Amino acid sequence: MPLYESVLIARQDLSPAQVESLTGDTAGLIKNQGGTVTKTEQWGLRNLAYRIKKNRKGHYVLMNIDAPAPAIAEMERNLRINEDVLRYLTLRVDAHEEGPSAMLRKQDDEPREGQGGPGSRGGAGRPLRPRPQRSETEQKGD
Amino acid sequence: MRRDNRSSRDGERNAAANRKPFFRRRKSCPFSGSAAPKIDWKDTRLLTRYLSERGKIMPSRISAVSSGKQRELAQAIKRARFMALLPYVREAGDIA
């Protein structure tokens, strides 16, 4: 059966237990449609890079699924209906990656210091001039 | 003026523009070869290396990524942006 990798973001004011039950329901739904969820990974509460539906943080859950296509369509339909799920991304993959995904692997090696690794920056990424903080309330002359 | 064949094409194209062709050691694609890291939209540490400060995708002429891998990289970055792992635009102030 085709292999899928699905990641969903749940609302930030869900308790971890609710997130667990959400993933459990989704996995159950896949199972009774004839598929299997080979791996479930909780990335926990993470900061979102931008606000989604007024949420700054979200519970991320990764699932590796081996199921027929209708099961995936049904799962996605439910995720769409469910208000607690902010966003989901299901991809067809050729092979599931074993072991922890890049997200969990990243945590055990040293935390990311700043950004921009050894890759050369070249002309495009010239250093930014931080814009002066202009706030209407207090007119601070700099 | 000695010119090897690769830059002779650039030479012709902007011969009038600059007399002295701009020589740059051709960097190898970081994703070719055996020890190349796999491009994965969940691996934000790898992806941020190919983003500019503003969060824009770095052109392959600067990051020296081969065209096939650049397409793969761009798709991974767009997926990571959709799933809020990477910002679409990064303001000058905040370094996420």
Side-chain angles (χ1 to χ4, degrees):
Chain A
M1 276 186 290
L3 303 178
Y4 295 94
E5 180 191 274
S6 175
V7 178
L8 61 90
I9 310 178
R11 231 159 27 112
Q12 78 186 54
D13 38 28
L14 282 188
S15 71
Q18 281 168 312
V19 177
E20 292 281 341
S21 70
L22 169 68
T23 26
D25 303 345
T26 317
L29 186 130
I30 297 274
K31 240 183 285 300
N32 59 37
Q33 299 257 339
T36 58
V37 177
T38 49
K39 182 176 86 168
T40 312
E41 234 180 47
Q42 308 272 350
W43 296 349
L45 193 61
R46 277 178 60 88
N47 278 324
L48 300 178
Y50 49 87
R51 282 194 310 270
I52 300 179
K53 292 180 182 145
K54 308 294 188 288
N55 291 272
R56 273 190 203 291
K57 293 181 192 276
H59 294 272
Y60 279 76
V61 177
L62 162 75
M63 280 186 285
N64 283 350
I65 300 168
D66 176 356
I72 297 293
E74 180 57 23
M75 174 189 91
E76 286 196 331
R77 193 180 68 81
N78 284 355
L79 292 182
R80 216 172 280 128
I81 295 171
N82 191 336
E83 280 167 10
D84 293 337
V85 176
L86 298 178
R87 202 166 276 190
Y88 58 87
L89 176 68
T90 310
L91 298 173
R92 169 141 190 201
V93 286
D94 300 335
H96 288 148
E97 42 178 71
E98 308 76 28
S101 69
M103 200 55 72
L104 298 184
R105 240 182 297 123
K106 185 179 73 171
Q107 268 146 12
D108 43 49
D109 49 29
E110 95 298 309
R112 224 157 42 97
E113 67 329 292
Q115 33 82 358
S120 77
R121 187 96 33 222
R126 41 177 170 58
L128 276 158
R129 192 180 49 75
R131 272 175 306 151
Q133 291 306 334
R134 279 188 322 280
S135 59
E136 305 78 26
T137 48
E138 21 93 19
Q139 292 300 339
K140 110 171 127 39
D142 43 13
Chain B
M1 187 163 39
R2 194 188 58 74
R3 267 196 262 198
D4 58 48
N5 49 28
R6 205 197 67 70
S7 78
S8 63
R9 253 185 303 97
D10 310 338
E12 264 93 39
R13 226 179 298 122
N14 44 35
N18 53 356
R19 282 269 74 51
K20 192 177 70 52
F22 173 65
F23 278 110
R24 175 91 189 256
R25 187 182 57 76
R26 205 67 215 118
K27 288 182 288 189
S28 73
C29 167
F31 294 108
S32 63
S34 56
K38 210 170 73 63
I39 296 179
D40 176 14
W41 66 273
K42 305 186 286 295
D43 187 354
T44 47
R45 262 162 63 86
L46 174 80
L47 298 181
T48 37
R49 226 183 292 155
Y50 296 97
L51 289 181
S52 72
E53 261 83 25
R54 280 299 172 120
K56 293 159 73 171
I57 299 177
M58 207 184 292
S60 61
R61 58 183 166 75
I62 287 172
S63 55
V65 177
S66 62
S67 56
K69 288 298 177 187
Q70 177 76 6
R71 281 196 295 274
E72 226 178 288
L73 192 63
Q75 191 178 35
I77 288 174
K78 287 168 189 173
R79 282 178 179 158
R81 286 175 172 165
F82 173 72
M83 290 302 281
L85 298 176
L86 291 177
Y88 278 93
V89 68
R90 190 175 289 149
E91 294 309 320
D94 53 43
I95 300 297

